[in-house]
Amino acid sequence: MLITLLTDFGTADYFVGAMKGVILSINREARIVDITHEIPPQDIQAGAFTLMAAYQCFPAETVHVAVVDPGVGSERRPIVVSGGGQFFVGPDNGLFSFIYERERDARVFHLTNEEYFRPSVSATFHGRDVFAPVAGSLSKGVSPEQLGEEIRDCVRLPFLNAKLSADNSVVASIIHIDRFGNCVTNLTPDDITATMIAAGVNLTINGWKITSFRRFFAEMQDTPSELFAIWGSAGYLEISAYQASAAQLLGAKRGQPVTVKSDK
Amino acid sequence: MLITLLTDFGTADYFVGAMKGVILSINREARIVDITHEIPPQDIQAGAFTLMAAYQCFPAETVHVAVVDPGVGSERRPIVVSGGGQFFVGPDNGLFSFIYERERDARVFHLTNEEYFRPSVSATFHGRDVFAPVAGSLSKGVSPEQLGEEIRDCVRLPFLNAKLSADNSVVASIIHIDRFGNCVTNLTPDDITATMIAAGVNLTINGWKITSFRRFFAEMQDTPSELFAIWGSAGYLEISAYQASAAQLLGAKRGQPVTVKSDK
Amino acid sequence: MLITLLTDFGTADYFVGAMKGVILSINREARIVDITHEIPPQDIQAGAFTLMAAYQCFPAETVHVAVVDPGVGSERRPIVVSGGGQFFVGPDNGLFSFIYERERDARVFHLTNEEYFRPSVSATFHGRDVFAPVAGSLSKGVSPEQLGEEIRDCVRLPFLNAKLSADNSVVASIIHIDRFGNCVTNLTPDDITATMIAAGVNLTINGWKITSFRRFFAEMQDTPSELFAIWGSAGYLEISAYQASAAQLLGAKRGQPVTVKSDK
C-alpha cells in the first residue's frame, strides 16, 4: 500500500496534489511518499537515475509512479513494470531503463484497460488521469495482467556504460550531478577495482587530472577545494570537492567524458 | 482523516512542520498530504486557483487547510467552509472563492470557539495556532457548527469571468501561469464551444494572435516555439508553446486580457 | 510511530526518498513527516533552530531524524537523544543544542550497535545507512540503551544568549532569518519584559534604530516598509517590516548584534 511519486512537476502547482487526491480516492489506505518532484523539466535521464538510486531502498510491493513525460498525449505508451517485487508506473520513454538492467525478472505491460483510468482522460495530464489511478488500483491488488498486454519492445535509454579503449584506458562519463555539485560517473567497482586504485589510477575530465581517492568527504579538511574521487552512495564513483562544487570547479556537465588510466 | 495543506510558507522554515505536529498531536491517525507550500507569498488569487484545481480530486470528508493570510492577526475572520462533502479551513479573504462558486451547498462558519484553538494563540502564526488544531478536530468528527456561527457575508474574489463584448468578441483573462509557462485563461467550454473552434476562432493576447488549437502538447513537434491554445487539465483554455514558456514568449502576466474572435 | 525528517539534502535528489524507503522497509507502519529538507547546506545552526521551533508541536514518542552533517564519515559520533518524551537521531555536532537546553531530562547515547545500521554503511550517506534505520528501529520500540552507551560530552553550539552590558543595555543577536525576511533575535520575554516595553525601549541593529513594537504584522498597514519589533511565533523577538523583508531593509545577517536600551 506504499506508493511513491517522482515527477518533474515541481511543488508549486496543483499537479502533485491532484495526483495524491486521485490515488487516495481509489485507495484511502494508500501511504504516499514523495521521492522528488524536482526532476529538471522533461529530463528523462535525470528521472531514471534518481528513481534507480531510490527504489532499491523500498520494501516489496511498493508502487512507484514516475512521470517525466515530454510526449504526454502523443503515441508514447503508458506502461507498468513489474520487477524485483515492486511496481513502476509511467510513460514508456526510457524512464525505467535502470530497472530493466537491474531486475532480471522485469516484465512490462502496456496500460490499455481504460477501466482503470479516470473517466475522462485529459490530453495533458496523464499523471492524474492514467498513472495515479493505475497506481491506486495496483495498491489494492489489481495485477499488471489486468491492466494491459505484456510488451517486449519497451524504450531503453542508450546507456553510457564505461568502455575499455584501445590503449587500455577506461572511457566513462558523468551520468548525474547532484545538488552539492558532486559529479556521479558510470564507473562501478567492476570498472575500477580496489587493486587498480592501490596500484595508482588517475582520472581526466575536461582537462583536469584527478589522482586523489578518498573514503569520505571530510577526510582531508585542510584542502577545501581539492578535487578527489570517492565511491558515492548510489554505488558509482563520484568526483567531489570538500565543501565546494566539483561540477563548478571542473566546469563539468552531465554527459562529459571521464578517462581512467593507470599511473604506470 | 485526510488533511491537506496549502500555504505560502515555503518548505525551508519550521512553519509547515509545526502545523503537522499540531495536527498529529490532536489526531495521531490523521493522514497529512501536502498540496503545495509554494504559493507566492500573500498571493491569495494563486492560492485560490491551486486549491480549486486540486480539491476536486480528493475523496469525501477530506479537510483542506489553506493559509495564504496577509491579514493574520488583524480583523479578518478565521473560517471553515463545508461544501461538496469536504471541509476547508483558513482565513476569510477570498481564498475559498472557487469553492463558493462550484459547491452550491457551501456553508461558511466563523471560527470563534477558542476551545478548539491552541491554548495560547500567537498574533502571527494562525496556521499553527488556529487552523491546524481546528483541522485536527474536524478530522476527529467535530462539526463546523461546534466551531462557530454560520456567516453569509464571506469575502469573495472579484472573478475575472470571461465576458461577451459589444462586437461579439469574448473578453477573457489569464488567471494563472504554471511553472512550465502555460497561461491558464478563464475560458471554459461554455465560452468557446467545439462548434466555434471548428468554425475558426482566434485569440489575441498582448498583441499576439493565436490561431492554432491543439489536443495535446506534443501534437506538432516540429515547431517548438509556436504558440497554441489547448484545453488544460484544470478545465480551462491554456495558451502554451511546445517545450517553451508561452508566458515568456508572450510577455504575459496574470490578469492580462485575452480577446476571442470568430475568424469569419 | 511518527518519524520526522529534517535535512539539508534538498528535495531534488534521491537522498530523501532513499531515507524514507529504508525507514519503511524496517517499519511499514511508520508515518513519515517532512519538517524541511531546505536547511542551507551544512548550516548546523539553522538546522538546530528549525528543529527547536518544530519539535515542540509534536506528540510524545515522535522520532525526529535530523541530518545536517558536514563531518559525515569522519570521527564525529552518530547519536540518539531522548528528551521531553521524544527522540532525536543524528550527528553529534551541535544540531541538538536547543534540546539539551530545553529538555532537562535529555540523555544522549552514542550509536555504536551496528546491528541496527544497514548491512553496508557508506562513508558519505549516514542519513540512509545509520540514522534512518536507527529511527525505524526506535519507532518499533527499540530503546536508546540498546543502540549504544550513554555519553555526557556531546557537542553544544556556543549559544548566543542575550547579555547585559556594563551600561545596562542588553546585547543580543540575530539567530535566524526566515523566508519573509523576518530577523529572529535571541531575545525572550525574560530579556525584555512587558514593563520595559511599556516604559519605552529601542533596538539598534546595523545602525538602524527601531522603536515600534507591534502585536501583529498587519497592525499599521499604511506604512509598508516601516521596521518594527514583534514577538514571533517561535517565542523570540523578531524585527519585521509589513510586506517587506526586514533583513533586506536592514542589510542584516545572522549573527548580527542587536542592542536594546531603555528610552529614558
Side-chain angles (χ1 to χ4, degrees):
Chain A
M1 315 233 291
L2 274 177
I3 297 179
T4 80
L5 303 181
L6 177 150
T7 76
D8 64 352
F9 293 161
T11 50
D13 238 300
Y14 66 90
F15 306 127
V16 172
M19 287 180 68
K20 292 175 176 175
V22 168
I23 289 169
L24 292 163
S25 292
I26 290 171
N27 183 358
R28 285 188 89 106
E29 302 307 313
R31 323 238 327 261
I32 301 173
V33 172
D34 295 304
I35 291 182
T36 180
H37 302 288
E38 306 299 336
I39 300 297
Q42 315 193 328
D43 187 338
I44 296 165
Q45 193 175 335
F49 177 84
T50 305
L51 179 63
M52 177 272 293
Y55 89 92
Q56 309 173 58
C57 296
F58 280 85
E61 289 172 43
T62 301
V63 180
H64 301 278
V65 182
V67 191
V68 180
D69 195 9
V72 63
S74 71
E75 297 302 295
R76 73 92 189 91
R77 297 174 293 194
I79 56 174
V80 56
V81 182
S82 153
Q86 304 189 51
F87 299 105
F88 305 85
V89 181
D92 177 30
N93 61 14
L95 202 45
F96 304 125
S97 299
F98 283 99
I99 316 299
Y100 308 145
E101 289 276 311
R102 290 169 170 245
E103 305 297 343
R104 290 303 167 183
D105 66 346
R107 296 174 64 197
V108 185
F109 299 83
H110 182 188
L111 299 171
T112 50
N113 191 344
E114 296 181 10
E115 175 189 333
Y116 294 101
F117 300 171
R118 287 192 97 201
S120 156
V121 173
S122 73
T124 56
F125 193 6
H126 288 191
R128 178 191 63 188
D129 300 337
V130 175
F131 303 127
V134 161
S137 294
L138 282 164
S139 76
K140 287 180 79 174
V142 170
S143 71
E145 284 83 356
Q146 291 172 268
L147 297 165
E149 295 283 303
E150 189 165 0
I151 58 174
R152 291 173 199 285
D153 60 341
C154 55
V155 175
R156 287 160 187 262
L157 292 176
F159 274 138
L160 307 162
N161 284 321
K163 283 174 222 160
L164 204 64
S165 78
D167 65 346
N168 259 331
S169 61
V170 178
V171 181
S173 65
I174 295 175
I175 55 171
H176 186 67
I177 293 173
D178 74 20
R179 94 162 190 140
F180 301 104
N182 299 310
C183 301
V184 183
T185 73
N186 56 355
L187 290 160
T188 69
D190 287 344
D191 301 313
I192 311 188
T193 61
T195 319
M196 287 168 69
I197 294 172
V201 157
N202 66 72
L203 280 73
T204 309
I205 170 169
N206 214 12
W208 295 69
K209 200 164 188 171
I210 293 138
T211 55
S212 169
F213 276 74
R214 291 197 188 173
R215 281 167 309 124
F216 50 88
F217 288 137
E219 195 175 33
M220 290 170 69
Q221 301 201 9
D222 44 342
T223 52
S225 67
E226 195 203 310
L227 290 156
F228 57 90
I230 186 167
W231 288 110
S233 56
Y236 294 100
L237 197 74
E238 300 182 8
I239 316 298
S240 300
Y242 184 63
Q243 295 193 334
S245 162
Q248 222 171 327
L249 290 170
L250 289 166
K253 294 203 172 61
R254 193 177 59 194
Q256 194 106 37
V258 178
T259 311
V260 187
K261 282 192 188 164
S262 292
D263 280 350
K264 161 213 55 66
Chain B
M1 315 235 290
L2 273 178
I3 296 179
T4 79
L5 303 180
L6 176 150
T7 76
D8 64 351
F9 294 161
T11 49
D13 239 300
Y14 67 89
F15 306 127
V16 172
M19 287 180 68
K20 292 175 177 176
V22 168
I23 290 169
L24 292 163
S25 293
I26 290 171
N27 184 358
R28 285 187 89 107
E29 302 307 313
R31 323 233 331 255
I32 301 173
V33 171
D34 295 305
I35 291 183
T36 180
H37 301 289
E38 306 299 336
I39 300 297
Q42 315 193 329
D43 187 338
I44 296 165
Q45 193 175 334
F49 176 84
T50 306
L51 179 63
M52 177 272 291
Y55 89 92
Q56 308 173 58
C57 297
F58 280 85
E61 289 172 42
T62 301
V63 179
H64 301 279
V65 182
V67 191
V68 180
D69 195 8
V72 63
S74 71
E75 297 302 294
R76 73 95 188 89
R77 298 174 294 194
I79 56 174
V80 56
V81 182
S82 153
Q86 304 191 51
F87 298 105
F88 305 85
V89 181
D92 178 29
N93 61 15
L95 202 46
F96 303 125
S97 299
F98 282 100
I99 317 298
Y100 308 146
E101 290 275 311
R102 290 171 170 245
E103 304 296 343
R104 290 305 169 181
D105 67 345
R107 296 173 64 198
V108 185
F109 298 83
H110 182 188
L111 299 171
T112 49
N113 192 343
E114 296 181 11
E115 175 188 333
Y116 294 101
F117 300 171
R118 286 191 98 201
S120 156
V121 173
S122 72
T124 56
F125 193 6
H126 288 191
R128 177 190 63 188
D129 299 338
V130 174
F131 302 127
V134 161
S137 295
L138 282 164
S139 77
K140 286 179 79 173
V142 170
S143 71
E145 284 83 355
Q146 291 172 268
L147 297 165
E149 295 282 303
E150 188 165 0
I151 58 174
R152 291 174 201 284
D153 61 341
C154 56
V155 175
R156 287 160 187 263
L157 291 176
F159 274 138
L160 308 162
N161 283 322
K163 284 175 223 161
L164 203 64
S165 78
D167 64 347
N168 259 330
S169 62
V170 177
V171 181
S173 66
I174 294 175
I175 56 172
H176 187 66
I177 293 173
D178 74 19
R179 95 164 187 137
F180 301 105
N182 299 310
C183 301
V184 183
T185 73
N186 57 354
L187 290 159
T188 69
D190 288 343
D191 301 313
I192 311 189
T193 61
T195 319
M196 286 167 71
I197 294 172
V201 158
N202 66 73
L203 280 74
T204 309
I205 170 168
N206 213 11
W208 294 70
K209 200 165 188 169
I210 292 137
T211 55
S212 167
F213 276 74
R214 291 198 189 172
R215 282 169 307 124
F216 52 86
F217 288 135
E219 194 174 33
M220 290 170 70
Q221 301 201 10
D222 43 342
T223 53
S225 66
E226 195 202 311
L227 291 156
F228 57 91
I230 186 167
W231 287 111
S233 55
Y236 294 101
L237 197 74
E238 301 182 7
I239 317 298
S240 301
Y242 184 65
Q243 295 193 334
S245 162
Q248 222 172 326
L249 289 170
L250 289 166
K253 293 203 171 61
R254 193 177 60 193
Q256 193 106 38
V258 178
T259 311
V260 187
K261 283 192 187 163
S262 292
D263 280 350
K264 166 207 51 60
Chain C
M1 315 232 290
L2 274 177
I3 297 178
T4 80
L5 303 181
L6 177 150
T7 76
D8 64 351
F9 294 160
T11 49
D13 238 299
Y14 67 89
F15 307 127
V16 172
M19 287 179 69
K20 292 175 177 177
V22 169
I23 290 169
L24 292 163
S25 293
I26 289 171
N27 183 357
R28 285 187 89 106
E29 302 307 313
R31 324 235 330 258
I32 301 173
V33 171
D34 295 303
I35 291 182
T36 180
H37 301 288
E38 306 298 336
I39 300 297
Q42 314 193 328
D43 187 338
I44 295 165
Q45 192 175 336
F49 176 84
T50 305
L51 179 63
M52 179 272 291
Y55 88 93
Q56 308 174 57
C57 296
F58 280 84
E61 289 172 43
T62 300
V63 179
H64 301 278
V65 183
V67 191
V68 180
D69 194 9
V72 64
S74 71
E75 296 303 294
R76 73 93 189 90
R77 297 174 293 195
I79 56 174
V80 56
V81 182
S82 152
Q86 304 190 50
F87 298 105
F88 305 85
V89 182
D92 177 30
N93 61 14
L95 202 46
F96 303 124
S97 298
F98 283 99
I99 317 298
Y100 308 145
E101 289 276 311
R102 289 169 170 246
E103 305 296 344
R104 290 304 168 181
D105 67 345
R107 296 174 66 198
V108 186
F109 299 83
H110 182 187
L111 300 171
T112 49
N113 191 343
E114 297 182 9
E115 175 190 333
Y116 295 101
F117 300 171
R118 286 191 99 201
S120 156
V121 173
S122 72
T124 56
F125 193 6
H126 287 191
R128 177 190 64 187
D129 299 338
V130 175
F131 302 127
V134 161
S137 295
L138 282 164
S139 76
K140 286 180 78 174
V142 170
S143 72
E145 284 83 355
Q146 292 172 268
L147 297 165
E149 295 283 303
E150 188 166 1
I151 58 174
R152 290 172 202 285
D153 60 341
C154 55
V155 175
R156 287 160 188 262
L157 291 176
F159 274 139
L160 307 162
N161 284 323
K163 283 175 223 161
L164 203 64
S165 78
D167 64 347
N168 258 331
S169 62
V170 178
V171 181
S173 64
I174 294 175
I175 56 171
H176 187 66
I177 293 173
D178 74 19
R179 94 162 189 140
F180 301 105
N182 299 308
C183 301
V184 183
T185 73
N186 56 353
L187 290 159
T188 69
D190 288 343
D191 301 313
I192 312 188
T193 60
T195 319
M196 287 168 71
I197 294 173
V201 157
N202 65 72
L203 281 74
T204 309
I205 169 169
N206 213 11
W208 294 70
K209 201 166 189 169
I210 292 137
T211 56
S212 168
F213 276 73
R214 291 197 188 172
R215 282 169 306 124
F216 51 87
F217 287 136
E219 195 174 33
M220 290 171 69
Q221 302 201 7
D222 44 342
T223 53
S225 66
E226 196 202 311
L227 290 157
F228 57 90
I230 186 168
W231 288 110
S233 55
Y236 294 102
L237 197 75
E238 300 182 8
I239 317 297
S240 300
Y242 183 64
Q243 295 192 334
S245 161
Q248 221 172 328
L249 290 170
L250 290 165
K253 292 202 171 64
R254 193 176 61 194
Q256 194 106 37
V258 177
T259 311
V260 187
K261 283 191 187 163
S262 292
D263 280 349
K264 162 210 56 62

